[in-house]
Amino acid sequence: MPSRPDWLPVARWECRRTLLRADFLFSVLFLPFLMIGAGLLVGWFKARDEKQVHKVAVVAHDPSGGVRQQPLPARKGFEWVVPPAGERTRETLLAAVRDKRYAGAVLLPADYVERGQVEVIVRRSAPGWKKRLEQEVQARARIERAVTLGLDTTALARLDRALVTTEVVAIPAGKVSKVDRFAAFLIVTLLIVTLFVSTSYMAIGITGEKQARVTEVIVSAIPPQAWIDGKIAAYTLIGVAQAVLWVGVPALLPLFMPTVLPPTGVNPGMLAISAVLFLLGMVLYVGLFALILSTIKDLQSTSKLQAYLYFLPVFPFWFLQPAIDNPDALWVVIVSQIPFFSPFLIPGRMTVGGVAPWEIALAIVLLVVGGLLLRRAAGVAFRVAMLMYGKEVSLPELMRWAKQA
Amino acid sequence: MTPAPILSVREITKSFGELRAVDGVGFDVAPGEILGFLGPNGAGKTTTLRMILEITRPDSGQTLWNGGSALDRRRVGYLPEERGLFEDATVVRMLAYLGTLRGMGDRAATEAARHWLERLGLADRADGKVGALSKGNQQKVQFAGAILHRPALAVLDEPFSGLDPINQELIITLIRELRDQGTAVLLSAHQLNLAERLCDRFYLIARGRGVLEGTLEHIRREVARGAGEVLQVDLRPAASSGMADGRPDELVRGVMPAAECRIEQGPDRLLRLEAALPQATDLSPILGALSGRYAIERVHMRPLSLHEIYLRAVPTAAEDERA
C-alpha cells in the first residue's frame, strides 16, 4: 500500500480546525441566509416605496399669466397638486417642501419649452422618484413642441415607433443566454469572495503557527514543502466547500419557497470550464497568499510591500467589463492568459462567446504551471523565513537566505 | 559489539553571512545510546540540530542516517528548545496530530497520546485546551509529542526546561526507557548535573566547533591535565586562629603547588575547600598542613563533575579562538 503523503495530515488538521471555528461556521452557513434575508427585506421596502404616491406641487403658468389646473397628465405614483394662490412662488414652495407638505415641487414658466429650463424643488438631493418626474415633464414638453411644429398625435406616434432589432450571431457558439451570463458572473464573484474568506483564515492559521512557534516541530516531521502543500490543499478545499455551500443554499430555495424558480438552461460546458478555472484560480491565489504569509510575521505586518499583494484579486475585476465589451481585442486575449486574470476574464468573456477553445486550453495550462511555481516558491520562502524567528523577511533577504538555506 | 550509528554527523559547517555558526562538527549516535550535546549559548547547537533535522542544509559536510540513506523524518522525534504548541487545541488532539505527521494512523496516534499523557500524569488534562496548562505541563506535552511515535532518534533540546525536580526525574526515567528500548537520544541541556546522570557520551561544542567528545571518563581525562579528582574538605578555623593565620587554599598550595583550589563559605564559620588533584595523590601532607590551623570535619574525594569539565573546556576553547 503506498504510504500516505506528508501533506495530508496538515491538510486534514487545517480543514478540521477551520471548519469547526464558530466564526467560520457563522460566516459560511449563516451569512448566505442573512444576505438573502437582507435582500428580501430590501426588495420588500423597495416594492413598498414604489406603491407610495408622491404628492408634487406643480405650478405651470400659461401664456396668459394664469396657472394651469391640469398641468401634467395623471401618472401612477404621483399626485399633481396645484398649490393655492399664496403658495406659488419659489420661496413659499421651498418652505412647503421643507415642511413635508409636498414631496417636491415643479415650476413650469410659460416659456419653459422655448427656454428648455425647469426648476424642480426637492427636500434632499436626487430622490428616487425625481427621474420619473423629469420623464413626465420631458414628455409634456415634447408634445407641446410637436404641436408647435404642426404634428398631430398620430404623426408623433409614427415618429416614435420603435425599431425591433433581431440579433444574428455570426459565430454559432457565440450565442449565450442570460442564465449562462448569470452563472459565469456568479462563479467569478464567488471566486473573489471565497478567496478573501479562505485566505483570511489561512493568514490566521499560518501567522498563528508562527507566533506559537509550532512550525519548527512540524517541519522536523515533514518537509517544509509538504507543510505548505497541506496548507494550500486545505484552504483551496475550504474555499471550494464555501462556494458549494453558497451556491447550494440558494439552489435549495425553490424547495422551501415555491415562488422562487430554479434557473434552467445553463450551458453545462461553460459551467464546467468556469468551475475548472475557479478551482485552478483558487489554487493559484492560495499559493500566492501562502508565499506572502510565509514572509510575514503577523497580521499586523501591513507595512511590507508584499502585504499589498493581498489586493491582487481585485485587479482582474477592473478588467472584466472592458473585456466583455470587446472580447476579441488583442490586449484582452493577452491579458486573459495571465494566470492571475484568466479565472476572472475567461468566464466573463465566455458570457459573450468571445473565447476560442485554444485560449481556454492555454489558460488552463498556464494556471497549472503558475500554481505549481507558486507552490514551490511558497515552500522555499517558508523554509527560509522560518529560520528567522521573530524577524520579518524582506524580499532581498529572502533571495539571499534562499541561496544559503 | 557496538551497534552501527543511526546518525553520523560528518564535519558539517554552516555560515550566515560573515558568521561561521558551525565549523566542522562531527559525531555519531548509536541506537540505545544517549549523547549529551552540550555547549554555551550561541555555540551553534540549534543550527547543528536544524541541519541534522534537514530544516536547513549544511554548507559542507553531511549528516548520514543509518549509514547513508536520506533522513527518515517519521522515525525522528524532536523537542525544540522553544515551546511550540497549538494553544487552542485540546491536548490529546494536538498530540495525535503530531503523531500523524510522523506517519501514525489517527487511532494509533490518539491511543499513543493518551498512553503518554497517562505516563506523564496528565491523563485528566487530555481533553482540555493546551493553553490552559502550566508552563511545566506544556513542556511535558511537548516531550510526549517528540516521542509518542517511538522514534529511532529522539532529538531533545532542553527537555528539563521549566520542570520541577520531580518532573525532571520523571523525564529522566522516560528518556532512560527510550534508550533501553533502542532509541538513540541526542540530548542538549544546560542542567549539567542531570546530563551527567543521563548521558552515555558527550559532545561539547563552543564557538561552532567540537571541543570534547567521549564518555564522561574520557573527557574528564582530556580536560583534567593531571588533576582528575577533587578533594573536598569541610573545615572550621581552630578556636585560637582565623583565616588571617593562613587561607586553606594557600596552605594546600604550600605543600602541593599545582593544586587548583576553591573555597566556599558555609554557615556557622564552615569552610568548604575543593582542590583538584592528580589521581592517587597522598593526602597526608595536605591534611597535615590544614589540621594545624583548622578543625577538619569531613574529607571526601570525588571525580571532576561534568559541570567542572564544562567550565574548563569551554573557556579554553574560547581562548584558543582568540589566540
Side-chain angles (χ1 to χ4, degrees):
Chain A
M1 198 175 99
S3 68
R4 187 180 56 194
D6 284 335
W7 57 266
L8 195 57
V10 179
R12 285 174 55 193
W13 172 259
E14 292 298 332
C15 282
R16 187 181 291 160
R17 269 165 70 84
T18 305
L19 295 175
L20 294 179
R21 285 179 70 112
D23 51 352
F24 182 81
L25 288 173
F26 174 79
S27 64
V28 171
L29 291 179
F30 296 108
L31 213 58
F33 286 109
L34 273 179
M35 287 169 74
I36 290 168
L40 291 174
L41 199 64
V42 168
W44 182 76
F45 279 129
K46 203 174 168 188
R48 187 173 162 273
D49 284 351
E50 279 171 5
K51 284 181 191 161
Q52 194 181 346
V53 176
H54 303 285
K55 189 176 171 185
V56 178
V58 185
V59 180
H61 295 277
D62 58 24
S64 63
V67 170
R68 294 179 191 177
Q69 290 307 304
Q70 279 203 328
L72 292 168
R75 280 287 175 271
K76 192 182 169 191
F78 287 105
E79 180 191 351
W80 312 124
V81 177
V82 179
E87 206 176 51
R88 290 174 181 170
T89 64
R90 191 170 178 276
E91 284 66 34
T92 52
L93 284 170
L94 272 170
V97 169
R98 260 198 302 271
D99 294 346
K100 295 190 179 177
R101 274 183 280 136
Y102 305 117
V106 186
L107 287 167
L108 298 173
D111 59 346
Y112 83 97
V113 173
E114 286 76 33
R115 285 169 60 193
Q117 278 189 349
V118 175
E119 206 165 30
V120 178
I121 297 170
V122 291
R123 187 175 293 118
R124 295 185 192 282
S125 179
W129 47 264
K130 190 184 158 201
K131 198 170 180 184
R132 280 194 291 142
L133 172 73
E134 285 169 347
Q135 286 169 352
E136 292 301 326
V137 176
Q138 285 284 2
R140 184 195 151 88
R142 191 170 158 280
I143 291 167
E144 287 187 17
R145 280 176 179 151
V147 170
T148 311
L149 294 168
L151 294 172
D152 61 7
T153 50
T154 311
L156 193 60
R158 284 183 66 194
L159 197 66
D160 288 345
R161 193 175 155 209
L163 277 177
V164 176
T165 57
T166 305
E167 185 183 77
V168 181
V169 180
I171 305 168
K175 190 158 182 68
V176 183
S177 72
K178 279 184 180 173
V179 177
D180 292 334
R181 206 168 285 198
F182 174 76
F185 269 104
L186 183 69
I187 287 174
V188 168
T189 311
L190 268 177
L191 177 57
I192 196 161
V193 175
T194 51
L195 262 176
F196 276 119
V197 174
S198 63
T199 53
S200 296
Y201 283 98
M202 187 186 204
I204 294 167
I206 291 182
T207 56
E209 273 185 26
K210 280 186 172 185
Q211 285 169 321
R213 311 209 160 191
V214 187
T215 44
E216 190 160 349
V217 179
I218 294 173
V219 295
S220 73
I222 56 170
Q225 188 65 59
W227 183 86
I228 216 86
D229 288 350
K231 300 273 184 200
I232 292 172
Y235 288 100
T236 300
L237 197 65
I238 287 165
V240 170
Q242 186 190 345
V244 168
L245 272 170
W246 281 17
V247 172
V249 170
L252 290 175
L253 269 185
L255 295 177
F256 307 104
M257 298 174 69
T259 51
V260 179
L261 294 173
T264 52
V266 180
N267 179 342
M270 201 186 85
L271 201 62
I273 291 165
S274 299
V276 168
L277 291 170
F278 174 93
L279 183 66
L280 294 174
M282 279 294 295
V283 173
L284 184 87
Y285 274 101
V286 170
L288 172 73
F289 290 127
L291 171 62
I292 295 166
L293 290 164
S294 295
T295 63
I296 288 177
K297 191 176 73 179
D298 53 44
L299 290 175
Q300 284 74 47
S301 305
T302 50
S303 60
K304 288 282 174 191
L305 176 67
Q306 53 264 50
Y308 293 100
L309 292 175
Y310 232 88
F311 298 101
L312 197 60
V314 176
F315 297 145
F317 248 45
W318 296 345
F319 289 78
L320 193 54
Q321 195 56 51
I324 290 170
D325 290 343
N326 197 1
D328 297 320
L330 183 61
W331 74 265
V332 173
V333 172
I334 292 169
V335 172
S336 297
Q337 291 301 329
I338 299 172
F340 291 112
F341 288 70
S342 53
F344 296 93
L345 300 193
I346 298 274
R349 287 174 60 208
M350 282 168 73
T351 64
V352 286
V355 190
W358 70 264
E359 286 187 70
I360 296 168
L362 182 60
I364 289 173
V365 168
L366 291 177
L367 269 170
V368 170
V369 171
L372 289 173
L373 287 175
L374 273 175
R375 161 199 168 267
R376 184 80 189 110
V380 171
F382 169 67
R383 187 161 60 86
V384 172
M386 73 154 296
L387 299 173
M388 303 174 77
Y389 270 149
K391 190 175 181 301
E392 287 182 4
V393 189
S394 65
L395 288 177
E397 276 175 329
L398 188 65
M399 304 291 277
R400 185 160 50 84
W401 280 68
K403 286 178 194 163
Q404 292 178 353
Chain B
M1 199 176 97
T2 312
I6 194 159
L7 173 74
S8 298
V9 179
R10 296 272 177 269
E11 298 297 316
I12 54 173
T13 61
K14 183 76 186 172
S15 297
F16 299 108
E18 296 296 306
L19 175 71
R20 178 154 280 211
V22 175
D23 188 4
V25 166
F27 53 81
D28 293 335
V29 195
E33 178 188 45
I34 304 174
L35 178 72
F37 185 53
L38 311 175
N41 299 328
K45 296 193 297 295
T46 301
T47 305
T48 303
L49 296 183
R50 283 177 167 177
M51 287 190 279
I52 290 169
L53 295 166
E54 293 188 356
I55 294 171
T56 183
R57 291 192 205 103
D59 297 335
S60 63
Q62 54 184 342
T63 57
L64 304 174
W65 171 261
N66 262 340
S69 53
L71 175 71
D72 185 350
R73 290 171 192 263
R74 293 185 173 190
R75 296 184 65 206
V76 175
Y78 178 42
L79 169 68
E81 182 181 6
E82 298 213 45
R83 241 185 315 277
L85 300 166
F86 293 98
E87 299 216 333
D88 57 338
T90 64
V91 175
V92 71
R93 173 72 59 202
M94 207 221 68
L95 284 177
Y97 173 48
L98 295 179
T100 57
L101 287 174
R102 303 281 185 190
M104 298 176 88
D106 278 343
R107 185 180 293 177
T110 306
E111 281 172 8
R114 291 202 183 274
H115 165 78
W116 282 104
L117 289 171
E118 181 85 42
R119 294 289 318 269
L120 288 158
L122 293 172
D124 57 331
R125 312 298 296 272
D127 297 307
K129 298 276 187 203
V130 172
L133 297 176
S134 67
K135 190 178 167 191
N137 281 341
Q138 286 192 19
Q139 178 71 0
K140 290 200 285 183
V141 170
Q142 186 103 51
F143 177 80
I147 59 159
L148 87 166
H149 59 297
R150 303 262 177 207
L153 170 68
V155 178
L156 307 177
D157 198 355
E158 298 296 341
F160 307 111
S161 171
L163 294 180
D164 60 56
I166 292 171
N167 280 310
Q168 286 179 350
E169 291 302 320
L170 175 62
I171 296 295
I172 285 175
T173 304
L174 294 177
I175 293 174
R176 281 186 178 138
E177 273 181 27
L178 279 177
R179 188 252 320 265
D180 296 344
Q181 288 162 4
T183 297
V185 180
L186 182 57
L187 175 89
S188 173
H190 288 304
Q191 295 84 352
L192 298 181
N193 56 332
L194 301 180
E196 181 174 349
R197 287 170 52 199
L198 194 53
C199 297
D200 302 309
R201 286 193 307 121
F202 298 90
Y203 187 89
L204 256 69
I205 178 174
R207 295 188 172 232
R209 288 184 183 163
V211 291
L212 275 179
E213 184 184 8
T215 61
L216 185 61
E217 208 45 52
H218 176 81
I219 61 173
R220 187 178 281 140
R221 276 199 303 275
E222 285 274 310
V223 299
R225 289 184 300 236
E229 289 201 309
V230 176
L231 169 68
Q232 263 182 0
V233 187
D234 290 350
L235 34 78
R236 289 179 203 280
S240 58
S241 66
M243 284 276 272
D245 297 322
R247 287 169 56 96
D249 51 337
E250 288 165 359
L251 294 172
V252 171
R253 273 197 287 276
V255 294
M256 187 78 61
E260 295 170 28
C261 299
R262 194 161 65 92
I263 304 173
E264 271 180 34
Q265 190 87 43
D268 196 20
R269 300 181 75 207
L270 183 77
L271 296 171
R272 170 165 289 179
L273 168 74
E274 289 193 338
L277 304 168
Q279 279 185 321
T281 300
D282 179 8
L283 300 181
S284 46
I286 296 170
L287 297 176
L290 291 169
S291 60
R293 293 190 176 87
Y294 294 91
I296 297 172
E297 296 194 354
R298 179 175 163 273
V299 177
H300 175 66
M301 285 296 287
R302 63 165 178 81
L304 275 181
S305 70
L306 181 62
H307 184 92
E308 287 157 333
I309 293 168
Y310 181 98
L311 290 179
R312 287 175 183 218
V314 170
T316 305
E319 284 157 17
D320 290 348
E321 186 75 20
R322 276 194 291 275

